[in-house]
Amino acid sequence: MKTSDFYYDLPKELIAQTPLERRDASRLMTLDRRTGETAHRRFYDLPELVRPGDCLILNDSRVLPARLLGQRLPGGGACEVLLLIDRGDRTWECLVRPGRKLRPGAQVSFGDGQLTGEITGETTGGNRLVRFNYQGIFLEVLEQLGKMPLPPYIKEELQDRERYQTVYSKVPGSAAAPTAGLHFTPALLETLRRQGVETGYVTLHVGLGTFRPVKEEQITDHEMHSEYCVIPPETAELVNRTKARGGRVICVGTTSCRTLESWAAEDGHVEPSAGWTDIYIYPGYRFKAMDALVTNFHLPESTLIMLVSAFAGRENVLAAYREAVAEQYRFFSFGDAMFIS
C-alpha cells in the first residue's frame, strides 16, 4: 500500500488556528465503520452516542512548555531548543536551531542564565543531547521560561496555554497534546459518569513524530517513532471488566488506542504495563482492545490517518474527510472531531 493512498486535498483555511471558546462546542462527525454512514453533531452530544456499560480510555499526559528560546554562548546568537525525551541525569534529547551551530560542546543559556545547557551528543536522526544546569526543580523552571510547542501548522500565538492541555492532564512529559481530549469539559465527563460510562486513564507521552508525514513511497518502509506509555492496574481492570460485560472500550485519541493495542493480548485482555512503544497501525491490522474511537481530523499521508483507516476502512475514512472538507469542518489540533463506531 502506498503513502499516496492516504492523501486528501485540504484548503489551508480549514486548518484551525485557535481553539473554540467552548471546548465541547466543536463539531462531531459520526462514522459507522461497517456501513460508511456519517452524521453531523456537536461534541456535547457525545452522551447520546455512548451507552451505559461502555468505558472511555483517556490519555492523561500533560504537555511540557518544552520550547526554549535563548542565546548561544559565547556571543549571544539566538537559539531554540525543543525538549523531546528525558534521557535522565539532567539530559534531554532535543531538536535545536540553528543546528549547524549547535554541535557537541556548544553552550546555550535561557532566562539570563537561569537555565543553561551543553550539547553533549548527537543522535543518528540528528537530534541533540543537551545536559541542563539549573537551581531547584526542572519542571518549575520550564513553567517560567518555556513556551508551548504548538504544531508547525498553527501560526497564531496561543493566549491561554491551558487550552493546549486536556482538563484531565496530570503527568508531564508530552511534546504535543493528545488533541482528541481537548474537547472534553469537567461537566461533560460528569454527565457521562452519571449515565453509567466509566473512565480510565493511560499515559502516553506524545512525541513530535506524530506530526511528521510519511516520506517513504511504501507505508511499510516507514520507521515509527517510539513513545513511552503506561497502563495502570485500575485501567487494565476496567478494560477487562468492560469487555466481560459486553460494553465497548472507547479510546479517546490515537494515543490511547496505541497504548492499549501495544499491550493487549490477542483476546483483548489487558495487563498493567509500562514501556516504550513503536506500534505502527495501518490497514490490515486487527484491533484487539478498542471497539470505538474519538479522534480529530489528521494530516494527509500521516501515520494517524493510516491508523484511523485501519479501524474504519480507507475508503470510508477518505469519503468522510472529503465530506468534512465540503462541510467546512475545522481540521487538526484545535479542530473538530469524529466518533467512529
Side-chain angles (χ1 to χ4, degrees):
M1 189 168 279
K2 293 185 177 181
T3 300
S4 58
D5 292 334
F6 299 90
Y7 179 80
Y8 66 93
D9 282 317
L10 179 68
K12 286 186 177 180
E13 61 268 21
L14 295 186
I15 300 174
Q17 295 297 310
T18 56
L20 294 180
E21 183 175 347
R22 177 179 167 181
R23 286 179 183 260
D24 62 357
S26 54
R27 297 171 74 183
L28 181 67
M29 176 187 283
T30 62
L31 172 62
D32 185 318
R33 64 195 182 106
R34 288 166 289 277
T35 67
E37 183 180 354
T38 59
H40 306 286
R41 312 286 291 262
R42 291 284 174 177
F43 201 85
Y44 49 67
D45 295 327
L46 186 63
E48 300 174 20
L49 304 172
V50 298
R51 303 189 285 262
D54 290 345
C55 75
L56 288 175
I57 303 300
L58 306 147
N59 181 7
D60 65 5
S61 182
R62 187 167 174 81
V63 185
L64 292 169
R67 184 170 171 243
L68 293 163
L69 304 177
Q71 293 79 40
R72 306 191 305 275
L73 299 176
C79 70
E80 179 177 338
V81 172
L82 184 60
L83 308 179
L84 297 178
I85 302 170
D86 184 357
R87 295 301 188 188
D89 192 28
R90 296 191 171 208
T91 298
W92 284 73
E93 184 175 333
C94 304
L95 289 174
V96 300
R97 288 196 300 184
R100 58 191 170 80
K101 294 190 176 181
L102 291 175
R103 301 293 184 185
Q107 307 278 331
V108 289
S109 175
F110 310 94
D112 295 324
Q114 185 178 351
L115 176 67
T116 61
E118 179 183 354
I119 315 299
T120 60
E122 186 171 341
T123 70
T124 53
N127 294 342
R128 305 296 195 268
L129 299 177
V130 183
R131 190 174 195 280
F132 290 101
N133 296 294
Y134 51 88
Q135 296 293 321
I137 299 171
F138 187 57
L139 290 179
E140 293 180 357
V141 175
L142 274 188
E143 287 293 335
Q144 291 181 48
L145 302 180
K147 293 179 175 291
M148 278 295 172
L150 293 178
Y153 48 74
I154 293 179
K155 310 301 182 185
E156 299 272 342
E157 192 75 23
L158 184 63
Q159 300 304 313
D160 176 6
R161 65 168 61 181
E162 282 301 309
R163 293 307 307 274
Y164 197 54
Q165 306 279 14
T166 63
V167 297
Y168 47 79
S169 64
K170 184 173 64 174
V171 185
S174 278
T179 54
L182 295 178
H183 307 281
F184 284 87
T185 66
L188 181 58
L189 289 168
E190 176 60 20
T191 297
L192 290 163
R193 186 194 67 78
R194 286 201 308 267
Q195 74 176 53
V197 177
E198 295 186 80
T199 55
Y201 296 92
V202 296
T203 303
L204 182 140
H205 292 317
V206 186
L208 288 185
T210 192
F211 298 120
R212 292 189 178 130
V214 176
K215 298 289 181 63
E216 290 76 11
E217 183 178 355
Q218 299 293 329
I219 65 172
T220 50
D221 293 336
H222 176 68
E223 185 175 337
M224 195 69 178
H225 59 288
S226 293
E227 295 164 311
Y228 188 77
C229 60
V230 178
I231 303 174
E234 60 272 19
T235 300
E237 197 277 330
L238 171 61
V239 170
N240 297 333
R241 187 171 71 245
T242 300
K243 291 281 191 186
R245 69 187 174 212
R248 295 178 300 176
V249 175
I250 303 170
C251 289
V252 175
T254 57
T255 60
S256 298
C257 166
R258 293 181 67 240
T259 302
L260 287 191
E261 294 295 324
S262 292
W263 305 108
E266 286 301 316
D267 63 356
H269 184 83
V270 175
E271 294 286 341
S273 308
W276 293 87
T277 181
D278 60 359
I279 189 171
Y280 181 19
I281 297 175
Y282 51 83
Y285 178 85
R286 189 181 73 81
F287 287 83
K288 302 185 285 284
M290 183 174 75
D291 300 305
L293 176 66
V294 177
T295 187
N296 279 18
F297 291 90
H298 302 294
L299 278 73
E301 301 183 336
S302 65
T303 60
L304 302 184
I305 196 173
M306 293 174 190
L307 183 155
V308 175
S309 296
F311 187 59
R314 186 182 72 90
E315 293 80 6
N316 287 344
V317 169
L318 291 179
Y321 272 52
R322 287 192 295 269
E323 185 175 347
V325 170
E327 295 290 332
Q328 301 280 290
Y329 272 66
R330 303 166 78 244
F331 278 68
F332 305 163
S333 296
F334 288 138
D336 297 315
M338 301 180 78
F339 178 69
I340 304 174
S341 62

